[in-house]
PDB file of all heavy atoms in Angstrom:
ATOM      1  N   THR A 262     -42.060  38.099  -8.453  1.00 96.00           N
ATOM      2  CA  THR A 262     -41.519  39.297  -9.114  1.00 96.00           C
ATOM      3  C   THR A 262     -39.999  39.296  -9.018  1.00 96.00           C
ATOM      4  O   THR A 262     -39.407  38.562  -8.233  1.00 96.00           O
ATOM      5  CB  THR A 262     -42.059  40.569  -8.459  1.00 96.00           C
ATOM      6  OG1 THR A 262     -41.538  40.654  -7.123  1.00 96.00           O
ATOM      7  CG2 THR A 262     -43.583  40.588  -8.440  1.00 96.00           C
ATOM      8  N   THR A 263     -39.348  40.137  -9.819  1.00 96.00           N
ATOM      9  CA  THR A 263     -37.885  40.244  -9.775  1.00 96.00           C
ATOM     10  C   THR A 263     -37.423  40.730  -8.408  1.00 96.00           C
ATOM     11  O   THR A 263     -36.403  40.272  -7.896  1.00 96.00           O
ATOM     12  CB  THR A 263     -37.377  41.186 -10.872  1.00 96.00           C
ATOM     13  OG1 THR A 263     -38.048  42.441 -10.764  1.00 96.00           O
ATOM     14  CG2 THR A 263     -37.615  40.610 -12.258  1.00 96.00           C
ATOM     15  N   ALA A 264     -38.196  41.630  -7.800  1.00 97.00           N
ATOM     16  CA  ALA A 264     -37.852  42.130  -6.461  1.00 97.00           C
ATOM     17  C   ALA A 264     -37.929  41.015  -5.438  1.00 97.00           C
ATOM     18  O   ALA A 264     -37.074  40.916  -4.534  1.00 97.00           O
ATOM     19  CB  ALA A 264     -38.776  43.272  -6.067  1.00 97.00           C
ATOM     20  N   GLU A 265     -38.940  40.156  -5.557  1.00 97.00           N
ATOM     21  CA  GLU A 265     -39.095  39.032  -4.635  1.00 97.00           C
ATOM     22  C   GLU A 265     -37.951  38.038  -4.819  1.00 97.00           C
ATOM     23  O   GLU A 265     -37.428  37.483  -3.852  1.00 97.00           O
ATOM     24  CB  GLU A 265     -40.444  38.353  -4.851  1.00 97.00           C
ATOM     25  CG  GLU A 265     -41.616  39.189  -4.339  1.00 97.00           C
ATOM     26  CD  GLU A 265     -42.966  38.563  -4.658  1.00 97.00           C
ATOM     27  OE1 GLU A 265     -43.126  38.002  -5.775  1.00 97.00           O
ATOM     28  OE2 GLU A 265     -43.855  38.618  -3.797  1.00 97.00           O
ATOM     29  N   MET A 266     -37.555  37.815  -6.083  1.00 97.00           N
ATOM     30  CA  MET A 266     -36.450  36.887  -6.355  1.00 97.00           C
ATOM     31  C   MET A 266     -35.161  37.401  -5.735  1.00 97.00           C
ATOM     32  O   MET A 266     -34.405  36.636  -5.121  1.00 97.00           O
ATOM     33  CB  MET A 266     -36.267  36.720  -7.870  1.00 97.00           C
ATOM     34  CG  MET A 266     -37.308  35.866  -8.565  1.00 97.00           C
ATOM     35  SD  MET A 266     -37.386  34.153  -7.953  1.00 97.00           S
ATOM     36  CE  MET A 266     -35.763  33.540  -8.367  1.00 97.00           C
ATOM     37  N   ARG A 267     -34.927  38.697  -5.873  1.00 97.00           N
ATOM     38  CA  ARG A 267     -33.701  39.288  -5.299  1.00 97.00           C
ATOM     39  C   ARG A 267     -33.706  39.246  -3.778  1.00 97.00           C
ATOM     40  O   ARG A 267     -32.648  39.300  -3.148  1.00 97.00           O
ATOM     41  CB  ARG A 267     -33.547  40.731  -5.781  1.00 97.00           C
ATOM     42  CG  ARG A 267     -33.285  40.865  -7.274  1.00 97.00           C
ATOM     43  CD  ARG A 267     -32.907  42.281  -7.650  1.00 97.00           C
ATOM     44  NE  ARG A 267     -32.897  42.460  -9.099  1.00 97.00           N
ATOM     45  CZ  ARG A 267     -33.838  43.048  -9.817  1.00 97.00           C
ATOM     46  NH1 ARG A 267     -34.902  43.550  -9.180  1.00 97.00           N
ATOM     47  NH2 ARG A 267     -33.767  43.144 -11.111  1.00 97.00           N
ATOM     48  N   ALA A 268     -34.904  39.160  -3.193  1.00 97.00           N
ATOM     49  CA  ALA A 268     -35.022  39.150  -1.735  1.00 97.00           C
ATOM     50  C   ALA A 268     -34.737  37.790  -1.125  1.00 97.00           C
ATOM     51  O   ALA A 268     -34.533  37.675   0.081  1.00 97.00           O
ATOM     52  CB  ALA A 268     -36.419  39.605  -1.334  1.00 97.00           C
ATOM     53  N   LEU A 269     -34.701  36.746  -1.951  1.00 98.00           N
ATOM     54  CA  LEU A 269     -34.455  35.400  -1.433  1.00 98.00           C
ATOM     55  C   LEU A 269     -33.054  35.315  -0.814  1.00 98.00           C
ATOM     56  O   LEU A 269     -32.081  35.793  -1.394  1.00 98.00           O
ATOM     57  CB  LEU A 269     -34.577  34.357  -2.556  1.00 98.00           C
ATOM     58  CG  LEU A 269     -35.965  34.106  -3.155  1.00 98.00           C
ATOM     59  CD1 LEU A 269     -35.882  33.191  -4.357  1.00 98.00           C
ATOM     60  CD2 LEU A 269     -36.901  33.518  -2.103  1.00 98.00           C
ATOM     61  N   THR A 270     -32.953  34.718   0.328  1.00 97.00           N
ATOM     62  CA  THR A 270     -31.653  34.538   0.964  1.00 97.00           C
ATOM     63  C   THR A 270     -30.938  33.375   0.297  1.00 97.00           C
ATOM     64  O   THR A 270     -31.533  32.565  -0.428  1.00 97.00           O
ATOM     65  CB  THR A 270     -31.820  34.219   2.466  1.00 97.00           C
ATOM     66  OG1 THR A 270     -32.471  32.937   2.604  1.00 97.00           O
ATOM     67  CG2 THR A 270     -32.627  35.286   3.171  1.00 97.00           C
ATOM     68  N   THR A 271     -29.639  33.262   0.542  1.00 97.00           N
ATOM     69  CA  THR A 271     -28.880  32.159  -0.053  1.00 97.00           C
ATOM     70  C   THR A 271     -29.392  30.801   0.443  1.00 97.00           C
ATOM     71  O   THR A 271     -29.407  29.834  -0.306  1.00 97.00           O
ATOM     72  CB  THR A 271     -27.373  32.313   0.275  1.00 97.00           C
ATOM     73  OG1 THR A 271     -27.205  32.468   1.677  1.00 97.00           O
ATOM     74  CG2 THR A 271     -26.780  33.513  -0.448  1.00 97.00           C
ATOM     75  N   ALA A 272     -29.824  30.781   1.702  1.00 97.00           N
ATOM     76  CA  ALA A 272     -30.379  29.535   2.252  1.00 97.00           C
ATOM     77  C   ALA A 272     -31.665  29.157   1.541  1.00 97.00           C
ATOM     78  O   ALA A 272     -31.925  27.969   1.280  1.00 97.00           O
ATOM     79  CB  ALA A 272     -30.629  29.701   3.750  1.00 97.00           C
ATOM     80  N   GLN A 273     -32.483  30.160   1.234  1.00 98.00           N
ATOM     81  CA  GLN A 273     -33.739  29.904   0.528  1.00 98.00           C
ATOM     82  C   GLN A 273     -33.466  29.435  -0.902  1.00 98.00           C
ATOM     83  O   GLN A 273     -34.120  28.517  -1.398  1.00 98.00           O
ATOM     84  CB  GLN A 273     -34.586  31.179   0.490  1.00 98.00           C
ATOM     85  CG  GLN A 273     -35.188  31.563   1.840  1.00 98.00           C
ATOM     86  CD  GLN A 273     -35.883  32.923   1.798  1.00 98.00           C
ATOM     87  OE1 GLN A 273     -35.388  33.862   1.182  1.00 98.00           O
ATOM     88  NE2 GLN A 273     -37.016  33.034   2.461  1.00 98.00           N
ATOM     89  N   VAL A 274     -32.492  30.076  -1.565  1.00 97.00           N
ATOM     90  CA  VAL A 274     -32.138  29.689  -2.942  1.00 97.00           C
ATOM     91  C   VAL A 274     -31.609  28.253  -2.955  1.00 97.00           C
ATOM     92  O   VAL A 274     -31.969  27.459  -3.822  1.00 97.00           O
ATOM     93  CB  VAL A 274     -31.099  30.659  -3.539  1.00 97.00           C
ATOM     94  CG1 VAL A 274     -30.579  30.132  -4.878  1.00 97.00           C
ATOM     95  CG2 VAL A 274     -31.696  32.048  -3.722  1.00 97.00           C
ATOM     96  N   ALA A 275     -30.761  27.929  -1.990  1.00 96.00           N
ATOM     97  CA  ALA A 275     -30.203  26.578  -1.898  1.00 96.00           C
ATOM     98  C   ALA A 275     -31.291  25.533  -1.643  1.00 96.00           C
ATOM     99  O   ALA A 275     -31.145  24.369  -2.017  1.00 96.00           O
ATOM    100  CB  ALA A 275     -29.156  26.520  -0.794  1.00 96.00           C
ATOM    101  N   ALA A 276     -32.402  25.991  -1.055  1.00 97.00           N
ATOM    102  CA  ALA A 276     -33.504  25.067  -0.746  1.00 97.00           C
ATOM    103  C   ALA A 276     -34.418  24.809  -1.927  1.00 97.00           C
ATOM    104  O   ALA A 276     -35.235  23.876  -1.898  1.00 97.00           O
ATOM    105  CB  ALA A 276     -34.318  25.634   0.412  1.00 97.00           C
ATOM    106  N   LEU A 277     -34.286  25.608  -2.970  1.00 97.00           N
ATOM    107  CA  LEU A 277     -35.141  25.403  -4.149  1.00 97.00           C
ATOM    108  C   LEU A 277     -34.908  24.019  -4.738  1.00 97.00           C
ATOM    109  O   LEU A 277     -33.782  23.543  -4.833  1.00 97.00           O
ATOM    110  CB  LEU A 277     -34.824  26.466  -5.219  1.00 97.00           C
ATOM    111  CG  LEU A 277     -35.233  27.902  -4.921  1.00 97.00           C
ATOM    112  CD1 LEU A 277     -34.640  28.842  -5.971  1.00 97.00           C
ATOM    113  CD2 LEU A 277     -36.757  28.046  -4.899  1.00 97.00           C
ATOM    114  N   THR A 278     -35.979  23.386  -5.145  1.00 97.00           N
ATOM    115  CA  THR A 278     -35.855  22.074  -5.789  1.00 97.00           C
ATOM    116  C   THR A 278     -35.513  22.259  -7.260  1.00 97.00           C
ATOM    117  O   THR A 278     -35.698  23.346  -7.822  1.00 97.00           O
ATOM    118  CB  THR A 278     -37.175  21.303  -5.664  1.00 97.00           C
ATOM    119  OG1 THR A 278     -38.194  21.980  -6.430  1.00 97.00           O
ATOM    120  CG2 THR A 278     -37.631  21.174  -4.220  1.00 97.00           C
ATOM    121  N   THR A 279     -35.019  21.217  -7.885  1.00 97.00           N
ATOM    122  CA  THR A 279     -34.709  21.310  -9.324  1.00 97.00           C
ATOM    123  C   THR A 279     -35.968  21.595 -10.139  1.00 97.00           C
ATOM    124  O   THR A 279     -35.902  22.281 -11.160  1.00 97.00           O
ATOM    125  CB  THR A 279     -34.043  20.010  -9.814  1.00 97.00           C
ATOM    126  OG1 THR A 279     -34.869  18.889  -9.470  1.00 97.00           O
ATOM    127  CG2 THR A 279     -32.657  19.826  -9.216  1.00 97.00           C
ATOM    128  N   ALA A 280     -37.103  21.086  -9.661  1.00 97.00           N
ATOM    129  CA  ALA A 280     -38.380  21.344 -10.355  1.00 97.00           C
ATOM    130  C   ALA A 280     -38.718  22.836 -10.291  1.00 97.00           C
ATOM    131  O   ALA A 280     -39.211  23.415 -11.258  1.00 97.00           O
ATOM    132  CB  ALA A 280     -39.488  20.521  -9.724  1.00 97.00           C
ATOM    133  N   GLN A 281     -38.452  23.451  -9.123  1.00 97.00           N
ATOM    134  CA  GLN A 281     -38.713  24.877  -8.964  1.00 97.00           C
ATOM    135  C   GLN A 281     -37.775  25.711  -9.844  1.00 97.00           C
ATOM    136  O   GLN A 281     -38.180  26.691 -10.458  1.00 97.00           O
ATOM    137  CB  GLN A 281     -38.573  25.289  -7.502  1.00 97.00           C
ATOM    138  CG  GLN A 281     -39.689  24.778  -6.590  1.00 97.00           C
ATOM    139  CD  GLN A 281     -39.423  25.093  -5.132  1.00 97.00           C
ATOM    140  OE1 GLN A 281     -38.319  24.913  -4.641  1.00 97.00           O
ATOM    141  NE2 GLN A 281     -40.443  25.565  -4.420  1.00 97.00           N
ATOM    142  N   VAL A 282     -36.491  25.299  -9.877  1.00 97.00           N
ATOM    143  CA  VAL A 282     -35.511  25.996 -10.713  1.00 97.00           C
ATOM    144  C   VAL A 282     -35.904  25.899 -12.177  1.00 97.00           C
ATOM    145  O   VAL A 282     -35.843  26.871 -12.925  1.00 97.00           O
ATOM    146  CB  VAL A 282     -34.085  25.428 -10.468  1.00 97.00           C
ATOM    147  CG1 VAL A 282     -33.097  26.021 -11.487  1.00 97.00           C
ATOM    148  CG2 VAL A 282     -33.627  25.747  -9.056  1.00 97.00           C
ATOM    149  N   THR A 283     -36.343  24.711 -12.578  1.00 97.00           N
ATOM    150  CA  THR A 283     -36.792  24.509 -13.957  1.00 97.00           C
ATOM    151  C   THR A 283     -37.983  25.406 -14.289  1.00 97.00           C
ATOM    152  O   THR A 283     -38.127  25.852 -15.432  1.00 97.00           O
ATOM    153  CB  THR A 283     -37.174  23.023 -14.183  1.00 97.00           C
ATOM    154  OG1 THR A 283     -36.057  22.198 -13.863  1.00 97.00           O
ATOM    155  CG2 THR A 283     -37.599  22.765 -15.626  1.00 97.00           C
ATOM    156  N   ALA A 284     -38.826  25.650 -13.286  1.00 97.00           N
ATOM    157  CA  ALA A 284     -40.033  26.459 -13.498  1.00 97.00           C
ATOM    158  C   ALA A 284     -39.770  27.951 -13.606  1.00 97.00           C
ATOM    159  O   ALA A 284     -40.664  28.716 -13.983  1.00 97.00           O
ATOM    160  CB  ALA A 284     -41.022  26.185 -12.371  1.00 97.00           C
ATOM    161  N   MET A 285     -38.565  28.388 -13.244  1.00 97.00           N
ATOM    162  CA  MET A 285     -38.248  29.818 -13.330  1.00 97.00           C
ATOM    163  C   MET A 285     -38.371  30.311 -14.767  1.00 97.00           C
ATOM    164  O   MET A 285     -37.947  29.637 -15.705  1.00 97.00           O
ATOM    165  CB  MET A 285     -36.796  30.082 -12.878  1.00 97.00           C
ATOM    166  CG  MET A 285     -36.566  30.084 -11.394  1.00 97.00           C
ATOM    167  SD  MET A 285     -34.824  30.530 -11.073  1.00 97.00           S
ATOM    168  CE  MET A 285     -34.714  30.118  -9.345  1.00 97.00           C
TER     169      MET A 285
END
Side-chain angles (χ1 to χ4, degrees):
T262 66
T263 54
E265 288 175 320
M266 286 299 297
R267 293 190 191 102
L269 292 173
T270 65
T271 53
Q273 289 173 319
V274 171
L277 290 171
T278 66
T279 53
Q281 288 174 316
V282 172
T283 303
M285 282 184 192

